[in-house]
Amino acid sequence: MTLDWSWFGGFAILLLSVVFLLNAVRIFREYERGVVFTLGRFWKVKGPGLVIIIPGIQQVVRVDLRTVVLEVPTQDVISRDNVSVKVSAVVYPRVIDAQKAVIQVVDYLNATSQLAQTMLRSVLGKHQLDDMLAERERLNLDIQQALDAQTDSWGIKVSNVEIKQVDLTESMIRAIARQAEAERERRAKVIHTEGELQASEKLFQAAKILAQEPQAIQLRYLETLTVIGADKNTTIVFPLPMDLVTPFLEKMKRGSGETGS
């Protein structure tokens, strides 16, 4: 029995062709790009869609262009006013240049995460505790700009940074509570003092107006008596105007002076 070597050779060629096509064809999604190397040298960035490469001669690295959520582990930060706090954050980077992301850095996600931890401690260490608690939007922008300046050479764009939580010690929480209470007391005293000042100014204006007409003072006293008697009081203390008492006092003085003479 003789073998048909021509049929075997044709089958082998067909099998090799199928294997070659399977290794040569790459399909990239809309959010993916392929960085192609020819004999170890960068050739071009291809995709999305169908991409043909030469197996054994060309290699391709798949890169995802979607925004990635990186959670920055809790960091011990010492603020500018020497307060120790624990801060956690979230970073949102994405690849904008697939060539740089593959060639310029080994693992761009890990590198961005480590850089975010360093920048978080560095930037927050320049601000006081009150800024961390009250001005998070400005701090988020400062960290984002600092990160973006460093990752630009890697082809990475940091679109946003969000500080998740700032944890304080129990003693610091009590100190902040005492500070807030003292601030409220200070505001209450200031408001009370301003009220006294405004009342004194109004009383001064009223006294000037009443001084123009003596009868107005009498009417004011009568009105005061009406208000006091409205509560069914059995004892009424009525202020006696000095203008009424002064003539009697002067008369008594003149009478005592004549008697003495």
Side-chain angles (χ1 to χ4, degrees):
M1 182 178 180
T2 60
L3 296 176
D4 190 355
W5 293 103
S6 61
W7 178 86
F8 182 77
F11 178 77
I13 292 173
L14 178 61
L15 181 62
L16 291 175
S17 299
V18 172
V19 173
F20 178 83
L21 289 176
L22 291 177
N23 292 327
V25 174
R26 296 287 190 276
I27 298 177
F28 294 94
R29 298 180 177 88
E30 184 65 32
Y31 55 83
E32 293 179 330
R33 297 294 183 271
V35 181
V36 182
F37 295 88
T38 301
L39 296 177
R41 296 179 63 87
F42 171 75
W43 180 40
K44 64 172 58 177
V45 178
K46 307 195 71 174
L50 181 65
V51 176
I52 304 298
I53 64 171
I54 304 174
I57 298 177
Q58 293 180 330
Q59 297 82 31
V60 61
V61 179
R62 192 180 298 266
V63 179
D64 195 327
L65 302 184
R66 292 177 295 181
T67 300
V68 182
V69 180
L70 290 180
E71 185 172 355
V72 181
T74 303
Q75 302 294 311
D76 292 327
V77 179
I78 299 178
S79 63
R80 188 175 180 181
D81 49 351
N82 296 324
V83 178
S84 179
V85 296
K86 295 182 180 296
V87 183
S88 58
V90 179
V91 180
Y92 299 89
R94 63 183 180 90
V95 178
I96 58 175
D97 192 334
Q99 175 186 351
K100 292 182 179 179
V102 174
I103 297 177
Q104 299 297 331
V105 63
V106 176
D107 186 352
Y108 63 88
L109 288 179
N110 185 39
T112 303
S113 177
Q114 296 297 325
L115 183 61
Q117 298 177 33
T118 304
M119 286 297 176
L120 186 65
R121 294 192 298 269
S122 177
V123 174
L124 295 183
K126 299 177 182 178
H127 295 81
Q128 296 184 0
L129 178 62
D130 293 341
D131 297 337
M132 298 183 193
L133 299 177
E135 299 184 4
R136 289 195 180 185
E137 294 184 359
R138 183 169 64 87
L139 294 180
N140 291 337
L141 182 61
D142 292 343
I143 298 173
Q144 184 263 331
Q145 292 176 349
L147 272 175
D148 203 26
Q150 294 292 330
T151 59
D152 183 66
S153 60
W154 302 342
I156 308 297
K157 171 66 177 178
V158 178
S159 58
N160 194 14
V161 175
E162 291 290 340
I163 297 177
K164 290 178 59 178
Q165 189 172 357
V166 178
D167 295 327
L168 303 173
T169 60
E170 292 295 332
S171 60
M172 184 54 59
I173 293 176
R174 290 193 296 268
I176 293 176
R178 291 195 300 270
Q179 179 183 2
E181 183 178 0
E183 179 65 20
R184 288 192 296 270
E185 291 180 356
R186 183 188 68 83
R187 292 179 182 178
K189 291 180 179 178
V190 170
I191 293 173
H192 178 72
T193 305
E194 290 179 352
E196 293 290 338
L197 177 60
Q198 293 177 4
S200 63
E201 291 176 352
K202 295 300 181 181
L203 288 174
F204 176 73
Q205 295 176 5
K208 290 177 63 177
I209 296 174
L210 292 175
Q212 296 176 2
E213 291 292 336
Q215 293 80 4
I217 299 178
Q218 300 298 329
L219 293 175
R220 182 66 181 129
Y221 282 142
L222 293 175
E223 183 181 0
T224 304
L225 181 61
T226 303
V227 174
I228 295 175
D231 295 333
K232 298 180 180 180
N233 294 331
T234 57
T235 302
I236 299 177
V237 179
F238 180 70
L240 187 64
M242 294 301 298
D243 295 340
L244 298 178
V245 179
T246 302
F248 294 101
L249 294 177
E250 292 180 352
K251 186 176 182 180
M252 291 176 63
K253 289 180 179 180
R254 288 195 300 268
S256 62
E258 294 175 357
T259 304
S261 61

